[in-house]
Amino acid sequence: VQLVESGGGLVQPGGSLRLSCAASGFRFSSSAMSWARQAPGKGLEWVSGICSDGYTTYSDSMKGRFTISRDNAKNTLYLQMNSLKAEDTAVYYCALETSCSVGAVVADRTFSSWGQGTQVTVSS
């Protein structure tokens, strides 16, 4: 299993970024995937998940600003982030889940693989 994130960078408050996660080594189209993030000095926070059938779930703090999607033809997971705030600054990770879940925190979900992360910095 290999998960490679890209698309992070420096963006001003109110701006947008789209993160990508290129997946390989497993059947992406039939797998549940998630995004999580870790801000400086804080623990890992679950952001959003998408099941193989396209069912999506979001953390309440990201709902309405972030959109998760997948392109099974490209084996790629995306996270569109709009209206970014300083508190969204973090390393963002994509992760392979063992099953479709509705858990709203990392502890309530089960992950089998993680990417290396991509840094998102929101600052003026």
Side-chain angles (χ1 to χ4, degrees):
V1 173
Q2 188 171 20
L3 301 170
V4 180
E5 301 95 334
S6 62
L10 174 63
V11 62
Q12 293 186 341
S16 298
L17 278 177
R18 187 177 81 156
L19 305 183
S20 299
C21 173
S24 61
F26 63 101
R27 189 172 291 182
F28 178 79
S29 61
S30 59
S31 299
M33 303 292 296
S34 265
W35 288 97
R37 70 184 186 183
Q38 187 163 25
K42 296 189 177 181
L44 194 61
E45 177 184 24
W46 176 75
V47 172
S48 179
I50 185 167
C51 298
S52 59
D53 62 359
Y55 178 75
T56 59
T57 48
Y58 296 91
S59 171
D60 284 345
S61 62
M62 284 65 135
K63 198 175 295 183
R65 298 191 300 124
F66 291 7
T67 303
I68 191 171
S69 63
R70 64 193 302 159
D71 185 335
N72 291 333
K74 296 182 178 179
N75 284 356
T76 303
L77 179 72
Y78 300 101
L79 184 69
Q80 177 68 43
M81 305 186 295
N82 299 328
S83 303
L84 284 163
K85 308 173 183 179
E87 50 264 44
D88 294 318
T89 294
V91 177
Y92 285 72
Y93 300 91
C94 73
L96 170 63
E97 298 196 65
T98 58
S99 62
C100 181
S101 173
V102 295
V105 295
V106 169
D108 290 339
R109 307 178 80 98
T110 305
F111 304 96
S112 58
S113 291
W114 294 85
Q116 84 290 345
T118 186
Q119 175 71 47
V120 172
T121 302
V122 185
S123 174
S124 55

